[in-house]
Amino acid sequence: MPDKRFHLGWFMNFTPDEWREPFGQGGTPWDGQFYIEMAQTLERACFDYIMIEDKLMVSDNYGGSTEAGLRTAMMAPKHDPVPLAVAMGMATQRLGVVATMSTLGYPPFLMARLSSTIDSLTKGRFGWNVVTSAENLAAQNFGLDKLPPRDLRYEMADEYMDVMGKLFDSWDEDAVVLDREAGIYADHTRVHPIHHEGKFFKVRGPLNTIRSPQGRPVYVQAGASPRGRDFAARHADSIVSIASGVESMKAFRTDIRERAKSFGRNPDDIKIMFCITPVLDETEQLAKEKQRRMVEAPYFIEDVLVSISAITDIDFSKYPLDEPLPGRLVTNGEQGSLDKFQNFGSGKTLRQLVVDGAGGLVSSVELIGTPDQVAERMGEVIEQVGGDGFLITTPVLRVSRRYLVEIADGLVPALQKRGLVRNAYTHAMLRDNLRAF
Ligand SMILES: Cc1cc2nc3c(=O)[nH]c(=O)nc-3n(C[C@H](O)[C@H](O)[C@H](O)COP(=O)(O)O)c2cc1C
Protein backbone atom coordinates (compact mmCIF):
# COMPACT_ATOMS: atom_id res chain seq x y z
CA MET A 1 0.00 0.00 0.00
CA PRO A 2 1.43 3.42 -0.88
CA ASP A 3 2.55 5.53 2.06
CA LYS A 4 0.09 8.43 2.26
CA ARG A 5 1.80 10.15 5.18
CA PHE A 6 2.83 13.77 5.01
CA HIS A 7 5.04 16.02 7.13
CA LEU A 8 4.18 18.68 9.70
CA GLY A 9 6.06 21.82 10.65
CA TRP A 10 5.16 24.89 12.69
CA PHE A 11 6.05 28.48 11.91
CA MET A 12 6.29 31.00 14.78
CA ASN A 13 8.19 34.07 15.81
CA PHE A 14 9.96 34.98 19.04
CA THR A 15 7.63 37.89 19.80
CA PRO A 16 4.89 38.30 22.39
CA ASP A 17 2.25 35.56 22.16
CA GLU A 18 -1.52 36.23 21.85
CA TRP A 19 -1.09 38.80 24.60
CA ARG A 20 -4.48 40.55 24.19
CA GLU A 21 -6.49 37.32 24.28
CA PRO A 22 -7.85 35.64 27.43
CA PHE A 23 -6.05 32.38 26.64
CA GLY A 24 -2.71 34.04 25.89
CA GLN A 25 0.31 33.65 28.09
CA GLY A 26 0.51 37.35 28.89
CA GLY A 27 2.94 38.87 26.44
CA THR A 28 6.20 38.21 28.25
CA PRO A 29 7.88 35.33 26.43
CA TRP A 30 11.35 36.74 26.91
CA ASP A 31 12.85 33.95 29.03
CA GLY A 32 11.87 31.53 26.24
CA GLN A 33 9.97 29.16 28.53
CA PHE A 34 6.63 29.56 26.75
CA TYR A 35 8.19 28.63 23.42
CA ILE A 36 10.27 25.81 24.90
CA GLU A 37 7.04 24.27 26.18
CA MET A 38 5.57 24.83 22.73
CA ALA A 39 8.40 22.80 21.20
CA GLN A 40 7.76 20.00 23.70
CA THR A 41 4.07 20.00 22.75
CA LEU A 42 4.95 19.72 19.07
CA GLU A 43 7.35 16.90 19.78
CA ARG A 44 4.54 15.08 21.58
CA ALA A 45 2.60 15.44 18.32
CA CYS A 46 5.61 14.14 16.29
CA PHE A 47 6.10 17.28 14.18
CA ASP A 48 9.12 17.26 11.88
CA TYR A 49 10.20 20.74 12.89
CA ILE A 50 9.45 24.07 14.48
CA MET A 51 10.69 27.06 12.52
CA ILE A 52 11.42 30.45 14.06
CA GLU A 53 10.92 33.49 11.84
CA ASP A 54 13.23 36.50 11.95
CA LYS A 55 13.59 40.04 10.70
CA LEU A 56 16.40 42.47 11.41
CA MET A 57 14.67 45.80 11.88
CA VAL A 58 11.92 47.78 13.62
CA SER A 59 9.63 48.66 10.76
CA ASP A 60 8.35 52.20 10.22
CA ASN A 61 6.62 51.51 6.92
CA TYR A 62 3.05 51.60 8.22
CA GLY A 63 2.06 55.24 8.52
CA GLY A 64 5.71 56.26 8.17
CA SER A 65 6.30 55.55 11.86
CA THR A 66 7.23 52.78 14.29
CA GLU A 67 4.16 53.73 16.38
CA ALA A 68 1.65 51.13 15.13
CA GLY A 69 4.20 48.32 14.92
CA LEU A 70 5.41 48.80 18.48
CA ARG A 71 1.96 49.52 19.93
CA THR A 72 0.65 46.21 18.53
CA ALA A 73 3.97 44.36 19.01
CA MET A 74 3.77 43.14 15.42
CA MET A 75 7.23 42.04 14.20
CA ALA A 76 8.99 43.91 17.03
CA PRO A 77 10.02 43.60 19.79
CA LYS A 78 11.53 40.28 18.89
CA HIS A 79 14.34 38.18 20.37
CA ASP A 80 17.07 36.52 18.34
CA PRO A 81 15.84 33.09 17.15
CA VAL A 82 19.21 31.32 17.43
CA PRO A 83 19.51 30.97 21.22
CA LEU A 84 15.86 29.91 21.34
CA ALA A 85 16.51 27.19 18.77
CA VAL A 86 19.30 25.88 21.00
CA ALA A 87 17.10 26.01 24.10
CA MET A 88 14.26 24.24 22.30
CA GLY A 89 16.65 21.63 20.94
CA MET A 90 18.13 20.89 24.35
CA ALA A 91 14.63 20.50 25.85
CA THR A 92 13.50 17.96 23.22
CA GLN A 93 14.88 14.71 21.78
CA ARG A 94 13.48 14.29 18.26
CA LEU A 95 11.89 17.53 17.07
CA GLY A 96 13.81 19.48 14.42
CA VAL A 97 14.53 23.12 15.31
CA VAL A 98 14.90 25.62 12.49
CA ALA A 99 16.15 29.18 12.98
CA THR A 100 16.00 31.95 10.40
CA MET A 101 19.32 33.66 9.75
CA SER A 102 19.99 36.14 7.00
CA THR A 103 22.88 35.94 4.56
CA LEU A 104 22.92 39.72 4.85
CA GLY A 105 23.71 39.57 8.55
CA TYR A 106 26.37 36.90 8.99
CA PRO A 107 29.66 36.40 7.20
CA PRO A 108 29.65 32.81 5.83
CA PHE A 109 32.38 31.61 8.18
CA LEU A 110 30.39 32.62 11.26
CA MET A 111 27.18 31.21 9.82
CA ALA A 112 28.84 27.86 9.10
CA ARG A 113 30.47 27.65 12.51
CA LEU A 114 27.33 28.70 14.37
CA SER A 115 24.99 26.34 12.56
CA SER A 116 27.47 23.46 12.75
CA THR A 117 27.78 23.99 16.51
CA ILE A 118 23.99 24.04 16.97
CA ASP A 119 23.70 20.87 14.90
CA SER A 120 26.12 19.24 17.34
CA LEU A 121 24.30 20.63 20.39
CA THR A 122 20.98 19.27 19.11
CA LYS A 123 22.50 15.94 18.01
CA GLY A 124 21.64 16.49 14.36
CA ARG A 125 18.30 18.27 14.56
CA PHE A 126 19.18 21.78 13.44
CA GLY A 127 17.80 23.49 10.38
CA TRP A 128 18.65 26.88 8.92
CA ASN A 129 15.92 28.93 7.23
CA VAL A 130 18.01 30.63 4.56
CA VAL A 131 16.84 34.18 3.89
CA THR A 132 18.51 37.04 2.08
CA SER A 133 16.49 39.74 3.93
CA ALA A 134 13.90 41.72 2.07
CA GLU A 135 13.73 45.17 3.61
CA ASN A 136 15.63 48.43 3.15
CA LEU A 137 15.49 48.95 6.92
CA ALA A 138 17.33 45.68 7.49
CA ALA A 139 19.97 46.58 4.90
CA GLN A 140 20.53 49.89 6.72
CA ASN A 141 21.53 47.95 9.85
CA PHE A 142 24.38 46.36 7.91
CA GLY A 143 26.13 49.29 6.32
CA LEU A 144 24.02 49.54 3.16
CA ASP A 145 21.78 52.42 2.09
CA LYS A 146 19.19 50.14 0.61
CA LEU A 147 18.45 46.52 -0.11
CA PRO A 148 20.30 45.16 -3.15
CA PRO A 149 17.97 44.06 -5.98
CA ARG A 150 16.53 40.56 -5.66
CA ASP A 151 18.62 38.95 -8.40
CA LEU A 152 21.84 40.28 -6.92
CA ARG A 153 20.79 39.10 -3.44
CA TYR A 154 20.29 35.60 -4.79
CA GLU A 155 23.51 35.67 -6.82
CA MET A 156 25.39 36.53 -3.62
CA ALA A 157 23.45 33.91 -1.70
CA ASP A 158 24.35 31.20 -4.24
CA GLU A 159 28.03 31.90 -3.71
CA TYR A 160 27.39 32.09 0.04
CA MET A 161 25.94 28.56 -0.03
CA ASP A 162 28.90 27.38 -2.04
CA VAL A 163 31.24 28.70 0.67
CA MET A 164 29.11 27.13 3.39
CA GLY A 165 29.23 23.74 1.68
CA LYS A 166 33.01 23.93 1.34
CA LEU A 167 33.38 24.89 5.00
CA PHE A 168 31.16 22.04 6.18
CA ASP A 169 33.22 19.64 4.08
CA SER A 170 36.53 21.05 5.28
CA TRP A 171 36.48 18.34 7.93
CA ASP A 172 36.45 14.80 6.52
CA GLU A 173 34.05 12.42 8.20
CA ASP A 174 36.93 10.57 9.84
CA ALA A 175 38.98 13.64 10.82
CA VAL A 176 38.40 13.15 14.55
CA VAL A 177 40.52 10.12 15.39
CA LEU A 178 40.33 10.33 19.18
CA ASP A 179 43.15 7.85 19.61
CA ARG A 180 44.09 8.09 23.28
CA GLU A 181 47.05 5.74 23.04
CA ALA A 182 48.68 7.57 20.15
CA GLY A 183 47.67 10.95 21.62
CA ILE A 184 45.86 12.09 18.44
CA TYR A 185 42.60 13.99 18.70
CA ALA A 186 42.21 15.15 15.10
CA ASP A 187 44.22 14.08 12.05
CA HIS A 188 45.43 17.31 10.40
CA THR A 189 45.64 15.63 6.98
CA ARG A 190 41.87 15.23 7.04
CA VAL A 191 41.11 18.89 7.80
CA HIS A 192 41.46 21.08 4.70
CA PRO A 193 41.60 24.80 4.03
CA ILE A 194 39.10 25.80 1.35
CA HIS A 195 40.86 28.82 -0.23
CA HIS A 196 37.62 30.19 -1.60
CA GLU A 197 37.98 33.33 -3.71
CA GLY A 198 34.82 34.29 -5.54
CA LYS A 199 33.01 37.37 -6.74
CA PHE A 200 31.68 38.31 -3.29
CA PHE A 201 33.53 36.25 -0.67
CA LYS A 202 37.07 35.34 0.20
CA VAL A 203 37.39 32.65 2.87
CA ARG A 204 40.43 30.56 3.70
CA GLY A 205 39.00 27.89 6.03
CA PRO A 206 38.99 25.28 7.37
CA LEU A 207 36.17 25.51 9.86
CA ASN A 208 37.55 25.44 13.39
CA THR A 209 34.96 23.05 14.71
CA ILE A 210 34.28 19.37 14.04
CA ARG A 211 31.92 18.03 11.41
CA SER A 212 28.38 18.07 12.84
CA PRO A 213 26.09 15.02 13.08
CA GLN A 214 24.18 15.91 9.89
CA GLY A 215 27.32 17.11 8.10
CA ARG A 216 25.51 20.36 7.51
CA PRO A 217 22.22 21.65 8.92
CA VAL A 218 18.97 21.02 7.08
CA TYR A 219 18.41 23.92 4.70
CA VAL A 220 14.92 25.41 4.65
CA GLN A 221 14.04 28.08 2.09
CA ALA A 222 11.02 30.07 0.90
CA GLY A 223 11.89 31.33 -2.56
CA ALA A 224 8.77 32.37 -4.45
CA SER A 225 10.04 34.44 -7.42
CA PRO A 226 11.54 32.53 -10.38
CA ARG A 227 15.06 33.39 -9.16
CA GLY A 228 14.09 32.48 -5.59
CA ARG A 229 12.64 29.15 -6.74
CA ASP A 230 15.85 28.29 -8.53
CA PHE A 231 17.78 29.06 -5.37
CA ALA A 232 15.46 26.93 -3.24
CA ALA A 233 15.39 24.03 -5.72
CA ARG A 234 19.19 24.04 -5.86
CA HIS A 235 19.86 24.08 -2.12
CA ALA A 236 16.86 23.30 0.10
CA ASP A 237 15.94 20.16 2.01
CA SER A 238 12.55 21.69 2.74
CA ILE A 239 10.73 24.56 1.05
CA VAL A 240 8.01 26.54 2.79
CA SER A 241 5.39 28.20 0.65
CA ILE A 242 2.18 30.17 0.74
CA ALA A 243 -0.10 29.15 -2.12
CA SER A 244 -3.66 30.04 -3.13
CA GLY A 245 -5.61 26.81 -3.24
CA VAL A 246 -4.94 23.28 -4.43
CA GLU A 247 -4.14 24.14 -8.05
CA SER A 248 -1.52 26.69 -7.10
CA MET A 249 0.00 24.31 -4.55
CA LYS A 250 0.26 21.64 -7.20
CA ALA A 251 1.74 24.03 -9.76
CA PHE A 252 4.34 25.26 -7.27
CA ARG A 253 5.36 21.74 -6.29
CA THR A 254 5.61 20.56 -9.88
CA ASP A 255 7.67 23.60 -10.80
CA ILE A 256 10.11 23.12 -7.89
CA ARG A 257 10.53 19.44 -8.67
CA GLU A 258 11.29 20.21 -12.33
CA ARG A 259 13.86 22.82 -11.32
CA ALA A 260 15.43 20.39 -8.83
CA LYS A 261 15.78 17.75 -11.54
CA SER A 262 17.41 20.27 -13.86
CA PHE A 263 20.05 20.80 -11.15
CA GLY A 264 20.67 17.07 -10.94
CA ARG A 265 18.88 16.64 -7.62
CA ASN A 266 16.42 13.97 -6.59
CA PRO A 267 13.17 15.94 -6.12
CA ASP A 268 12.07 13.54 -3.39
CA ASP A 269 14.88 14.95 -1.24
CA ILE A 270 12.98 18.25 -1.05
CA LYS A 271 9.93 18.40 1.19
CA ILE A 272 7.56 21.21 0.27
CA MET A 273 5.51 22.46 3.21
CA PHE A 274 2.46 24.62 2.57
CA CYS A 275 1.40 27.20 5.14
CA ILE A 276 -2.00 26.67 6.68
CA THR A 277 -3.96 28.19 9.56
CA PRO A 278 -6.59 25.62 10.59
CA VAL A 279 -9.49 26.85 12.72
CA LEU A 280 -10.86 24.07 14.91
CA ASP A 281 -13.78 23.61 17.24
CA GLU A 282 -16.23 20.99 18.41
CA THR A 283 -18.67 21.63 15.56
CA GLU A 284 -18.29 23.20 12.13
CA GLN A 285 -20.63 25.98 13.19
CA LEU A 286 -18.51 26.83 16.22
CA ALA A 287 -15.35 26.80 14.12
CA LYS A 288 -16.90 29.21 11.62
CA GLU A 289 -17.94 31.52 14.42
CA LYS A 290 -14.45 31.38 15.85
CA GLN A 291 -13.02 32.35 12.48
CA ARG A 292 -15.50 35.23 12.21
CA ARG A 293 -14.66 36.47 15.71
CA MET A 294 -10.97 36.45 14.81
CA VAL A 295 -11.30 38.52 11.63
CA GLU A 296 -13.78 40.89 13.25
CA ALA A 297 -11.57 41.56 16.29
CA PRO A 298 -10.96 45.33 16.41
CA TYR A 299 -7.21 45.00 15.92
CA PHE A 300 -7.13 42.25 13.29
CA ILE A 301 -7.09 44.47 10.21
CA GLU A 302 -4.41 46.76 11.58
CA ASP A 303 -2.25 43.81 12.72
CA VAL A 304 -2.34 42.32 9.25
CA LEU A 305 -1.63 45.62 7.49
CA VAL A 306 1.25 46.48 9.83
CA SER A 307 2.74 43.08 9.21
CA ILE A 308 2.39 43.11 5.40
CA SER A 309 3.74 46.70 5.31
CA ALA A 310 6.82 45.57 7.25
CA ILE A 311 7.75 42.77 4.85
CA THR A 312 7.02 44.62 1.60
CA ASP A 313 8.36 48.14 2.31
CA ILE A 314 4.90 49.42 1.28
CA ASP A 315 2.79 51.71 3.48
CA PHE A 316 -0.67 50.11 3.52
CA SER A 317 -2.05 52.83 5.81
CA LYS A 318 -2.33 55.11 2.79
CA TYR A 319 -4.85 52.92 0.92
CA PRO A 320 -8.57 53.37 1.77
CA LEU A 321 -9.91 50.24 3.43
CA ASP A 322 -13.13 50.17 1.41
CA GLU A 323 -11.61 50.52 -2.05
CA PRO A 324 -9.61 48.07 -4.18
CA LEU A 325 -5.85 48.66 -4.33
CA PRO A 326 -4.90 51.02 -7.19
CA GLY A 327 -3.16 48.30 -9.26
CA ARG A 328 -0.77 45.40 -8.85
CA LEU A 329 1.78 46.44 -6.23
CA VAL A 330 5.41 45.48 -6.71
CA THR A 331 8.19 45.22 -4.13
CA ASN A 332 11.87 44.42 -3.99
CA GLY A 333 10.94 42.64 -0.73
CA GLU A 334 8.63 39.64 -0.27
CA GLN A 335 6.80 39.71 -3.62
CA GLY A 336 5.36 36.21 -3.18
CA SER A 337 3.70 37.13 0.11
CA LEU A 338 2.48 40.39 -1.43
CA ASP A 339 0.94 38.63 -4.43
CA LYS A 340 -0.85 36.15 -2.22
CA PHE A 341 -2.22 39.03 -0.17
CA GLN A 342 -3.26 41.41 -2.97
CA ASN A 343 -5.04 38.71 -5.00
CA PHE A 344 -4.72 40.96 -8.03
CA GLY A 345 -7.73 40.95 -10.36
CA SER A 346 -10.19 39.88 -7.64
CA GLY A 347 -11.62 43.42 -7.41
CA LYS A 348 -11.79 43.08 -3.62
CA THR A 349 -11.45 46.06 -1.33
CA LEU A 350 -8.49 46.18 1.02
CA ARG A 351 -10.76 45.27 3.94
CA GLN A 352 -12.09 42.23 2.04
CA LEU A 353 -8.58 41.15 1.18
CA VAL A 354 -7.72 41.08 4.88
CA VAL A 355 -10.97 39.53 6.09
CA ASP A 356 -11.63 36.99 3.30
CA GLY A 357 -8.05 35.86 3.28
CA ALA A 358 -8.09 35.78 7.10
CA GLY A 359 -4.98 37.85 6.82
CA GLY A 360 -4.27 36.37 3.43
CA LEU A 361 -0.66 35.90 4.30
CA VAL A 362 -0.50 32.40 5.48
CA SER A 363 -3.24 29.99 4.46
CA SER A 364 -2.70 28.04 1.29
CA VAL A 365 -6.11 26.41 1.61
CA GLU A 366 -9.08 27.09 3.90
CA LEU A 367 -9.41 24.64 6.80
CA ILE A 368 -12.27 25.41 9.19
CA GLY A 369 -14.20 22.73 11.07
CA THR A 370 -13.91 19.87 13.52
CA PRO A 371 -10.57 18.08 13.88
CA ASP A 372 -11.99 15.17 11.87
CA GLN A 373 -13.26 17.39 9.06
CA VAL A 374 -9.99 19.30 8.82
CA ALA A 375 -7.90 16.12 8.97
CA GLU A 376 -9.96 14.58 6.18
CA ARG A 377 -9.55 17.71 4.03
CA MET A 378 -5.80 17.87 4.64
CA GLY A 379 -5.51 14.29 3.43
CA GLU A 380 -7.48 15.08 0.26
CA VAL A 381 -5.42 18.19 -0.45
CA ILE A 382 -2.10 16.39 -0.15
CA GLU A 383 -3.36 13.55 -2.30
CA GLN A 384 -4.31 16.04 -5.04
CA VAL A 385 -1.11 18.05 -4.70
CA GLY A 386 1.17 15.01 -4.50
CA GLY A 387 2.93 15.97 -1.22
CA ASP A 388 4.74 16.83 0.97
CA GLY A 389 3.36 18.48 4.10
CA PHE A 390 1.99 21.47 5.93
CA LEU A 391 3.51 24.30 7.92
CA ILE A 392 0.98 25.26 10.56
CA THR A 393 0.81 28.82 11.80
CA THR A 394 -1.67 31.61 12.57
CA PRO A 395 -2.52 34.68 10.45
CA VAL A 396 -0.10 36.98 12.23
CA LEU A 397 2.05 34.19 13.68
CA ARG A 398 0.92 34.78 17.28
CA VAL A 399 0.09 31.65 19.21
CA SER A 400 -1.81 30.71 22.37
CA ARG A 401 -1.52 27.58 24.47
CA ARG A 402 -5.13 26.81 23.66
CA TYR A 403 -4.49 26.83 19.92
CA LEU A 404 -1.46 24.61 20.35
CA VAL A 405 -3.49 22.06 22.27
CA GLU A 406 -6.25 22.13 19.64
CA ILE A 407 -3.67 21.18 17.04
CA ALA A 408 -1.54 18.77 19.07
CA ASP A 409 -4.37 17.00 20.88
CA GLY A 410 -7.27 17.49 18.46
CA LEU A 411 -6.06 17.70 14.88
CA VAL A 412 -2.95 15.52 15.07
CA PRO A 413 -4.71 12.50 16.62
CA ALA A 414 -7.37 12.81 13.89
CA LEU A 415 -4.59 12.79 11.27
CA GLN A 416 -2.84 9.86 12.97
CA LYS A 417 -6.07 7.87 13.07
CA ARG A 418 -6.20 8.16 9.27
CA GLY A 419 -2.58 7.15 8.88
CA LEU A 420 -1.75 10.57 7.42
CA VAL A 421 1.08 11.58 9.77
CA ARG A 422 3.61 9.71 11.88
CA ASN A 423 2.73 8.60 15.39
CA ALA A 424 6.34 7.95 16.37
CA TYR A 425 9.68 9.25 15.15
CA THR A 426 11.71 6.67 13.28
CA HIS A 427 15.00 8.59 13.21
CA ALA A 428 17.14 10.64 15.53
CA MET A 429 18.12 13.37 13.04
CA LEU A 430 16.01 15.95 11.22
CA ARG A 431 17.05 15.23 7.62
CA ASP A 432 16.44 11.51 8.12
CA ASN A 433 12.96 12.16 9.51
CA LEU A 434 12.19 14.43 6.56
CA ARG A 435 13.28 11.77 4.10
CA ALA A 436 11.55 8.90 5.93
CA PHE A 437 8.49 9.23 3.65
C1 LIG B 1 6.53 30.60 5.26
C2 LIG B 1 7.52 31.69 4.96
C3 LIG B 1 8.40 32.08 5.95
C4 LIG B 1 9.33 33.09 5.73
N1 LIG B 1 10.13 33.48 6.74
C5 LIG B 1 10.96 34.54 6.58
C6 LIG B 1 11.73 35.02 7.66
O1 LIG B 1 11.66 34.51 8.79
N2 LIG B 1 12.56 36.07 7.45
C7 LIG B 1 12.67 36.67 6.22
O2 LIG B 1 13.43 37.61 6.09
N3 LIG B 1 11.95 36.22 5.17
C8 LIG B 1 11.09 35.18 5.33
N4 LIG B 1 10.32 34.74 4.27
C9 LIG B 1 10.48 35.37 2.97
C10 LIG B 1 11.28 34.53 2.01
O3 LIG B 1 12.58 34.35 2.47
C11 LIG B 1 11.29 35.15 0.60
O4 LIG B 1 11.93 36.38 0.62
C12 LIG B 1 9.89 35.35 0.11
O5 LIG B 1 9.19 34.13 0.14
C13 LIG B 1 9.84 35.93 -1.30
O6 LIG B 1 10.50 35.13 -2.21
P1 LIG B 1 11.45 35.78 -3.27
O7 LIG B 1 12.63 36.27 -2.47
O8 LIG B 1 11.82 34.68 -4.20
O9 LIG B 1 10.68 36.89 -3.91
C14 LIG B 1 9.38 33.72 4.46
C15 LIG B 1 8.49 33.32 3.47
C16 LIG B 1 7.57 32.33 3.69
C17 LIG B 1 6.63 31.92 2.61
Side-chain angles (χ1 to χ4, degrees):
M1 217 175 75
D3 194 338
K4 57 181 179 176
R5 285 177 299 173
F6 52 78
H7 298 268
L8 289 177
W10 193 297
F11 185 44
M12 45 78 63
N13 55 10
F14 198 175
T15 57
D17 65 307
E18 266 299 3
W19 58 282
R20 290 165 299 199
E21 296 292 325
F23 292 92
Q25 176 261 1
T28 52
W30 306 120
D31 66 1
Q33 204 52 43
F34 173 72
Y35 289 120
I36 290 169
E37 286 172 25
M38 175 174 179
Q40 290 166 332
T41 302
L42 297 181
E43 180 165 72
R44 176 155 56 78
C46 298
F47 272 58
D48 288 74
Y49 61 75
I50 185 166
M51 168 166 140
I52 315 166
E53 178 265 10
D54 197 31
K55 291 284 173 190
L56 297 164
M57 42 81 197
V58 177
S59 178
D60 63 4
N61 293 327
Y62 188 80
S65 159
T66 56
E67 189 274 329
L70 290 175
R71 171 168 44 79
T72 57
M74 282 305 308
M75 315 290 284
K78 161 179 302 178
H79 265 351
D80 191 305
V82 177
L84 180 63
V86 176
M88 284 173 164
M90 310 277 288
T92 50
Q93 281 78 46
R94 289 288 181 267
L95 180 74
V97 287
V98 180
T100 299
M101 291 184 273
S102 172
T103 55
L104 185 75
Y106 288 83
F109 186 88
L110 280 184
M111 181 75 86
R113 192 174 71 146
L114 180 59
S115 50
S116 178
T117 302
I118 304 177
D119 198 43
S120 287
L121 289 173
T122 58
K123 300 188 169 67
R125 290 180 291 125
F126 185 58
W128 169 34
N129 178 29
V130 186
V131 300
T132 60
S133 285
E135 307 80 23
N136 286 325
L137 283 170
Q140 286 161 13
N141 287 332
F142 295 90
L144 302 172
D145 292 329
K146 64 182 177 76
L147 190 68
R150 181 179 293 105
D151 282 1
L152 177 60
R153 296 203 303 274
Y154 278 120
E155 191 190 343
M156 291 174 76
D158 266 324
E159 189 186 325
Y160 194 105
M161 300 307 282
D162 183 29
V163 179
M164 295 279 290
K166 289 181 187 170
L167 285 169
F168 291 131
D169 289 338
S170 64
W171 283 65
D172 293 348
E173 280 178 27
D174 54 1
V176 175
V177 178
L178 202 47
D179 182 337
R180 293 174 75 171
E181 273 162 33
I184 304 172
Y185 191 86
D187 175 352
H188 77 286
T189 65
R190 299 177 203 169
V191 180
H192 316 280
I194 67 167
H195 295 301
H196 176 89
E197 275 193 45
K199 187 166 167 191
F200 305 104
F201 303 104
K202 188 171 170 189
V203 182
R204 183 185 184 279
L207 213 53
N208 61 345
T209 183
I210 57 150
R211 196 177 174 89
S212 79
Q214 295 187 106
R216 60 173 176 79
V218 158
Y219 294 150
V220 179
Q221 226 279 321
S225 61
R227 185 66 183 82
R229 290 181 188 203
D230 266 349
F231 180 79
R234 195 188 294 270
H235 303 288
D237 298 289
S238 180
I239 297 178
V240 295
S241 165
I242 306 170
S244 306
V246 172
E247 282 313 310
S248 98
M249 292 164 81
K250 200 171 166 175
F252 180 79
R253 185 168 181 273
T254 306
D255 181 61
I256 290 287
R257 290 173 67 85
E258 285 307 315
R259 287 176 200 261
K261 275 187 231 159
S262 77
F263 298 129
R265 293 191 66 195
N266 176 357
D268 292 338
D269 290 349
I270 306 176
K271 301 302 175 195
I272 300 173
M273 312 281 270
F274 292 99
C275 282
I276 51 165
T277 59
V279 180
L280 303 163
D281 218 317
E282 274 151 38
T283 66
E284 190 179 341
Q285 189 56 29
L286 284 171
K288 283 185 173 155
E289 278 168 28
K290 192 190 258 181
Q291 166 81 359
R292 189 178 48 73
R293 277 203 312 277
M294 178 184 76
V295 297
E296 287 176 2
Y299 39 76
F300 184 74
I301 290 186
E302 189 184 37
D303 277 1
V304 169
L305 294 180
V306 167
S307 136
I308 186 93
S309 295
I311 64 173
T312 58
D313 281 341
I314 293 171
D315 178 6
F316 276 89
S317 77
K318 68 181 186 210
Y319 299 116
L321 270 180
D322 292 305
E323 290 174 23
L325 292 169
R328 178 173 179 261
L329 304 177
V330 178
T331 175
N332 183 28
E334 291 194 32
Q335 186 68 44
S337 310
L338 177 60
D339 282 337
K340 162 75 177 138
F341 173 72
Q342 65 183 334
N343 198 354
F344 183 65
S346 68
K348 289 184 177 177
T349 65
L350 183 55
R351 186 189 304 276
Q352 285 168 331
L353 289 177
V354 175
V355 170
D356 294 359
L361 279 177
V362 282
S363 210
S364 301
V365 61
E366 190 178 272
L367 297 165
I368 303 172
T370 65
D372 274 319
Q373 287 173 322
V374 170
E376 192 69 25
R377 180 75 189 125
M378 285 168 75
E380 287 164 9
V381 168
I382 285 291
E383 200 182 327
Q384 286 161 15
V385 171
D388 300 297
F390 293 105
L391 188 70
I392 299 182
T393 185
T394 67
V396 284
L397 272 64
R398 293 190 199 288
V399 69
S400 67
R401 284 207 172 99
R402 183 168 75 170
Y403 184 60
L404 263 171
V405 166
E406 287 170 359
I407 300 288
D409 299 313
L411 179 61
V412 170
L415 291 166
Q416 286 170 334
K417 198 169 69 187
R418 290 168 172 75
L420 293 172
V421 296
R422 69 164 69 81
N423 48 26
Y425 291 97
T426 46
H427 297 276
M429 292 198 256
L430 173 56
R431 187 175 290 106
D432 294 335
N433 278 316
L434 280 171
R435 290 188 184 174
F437 46 85

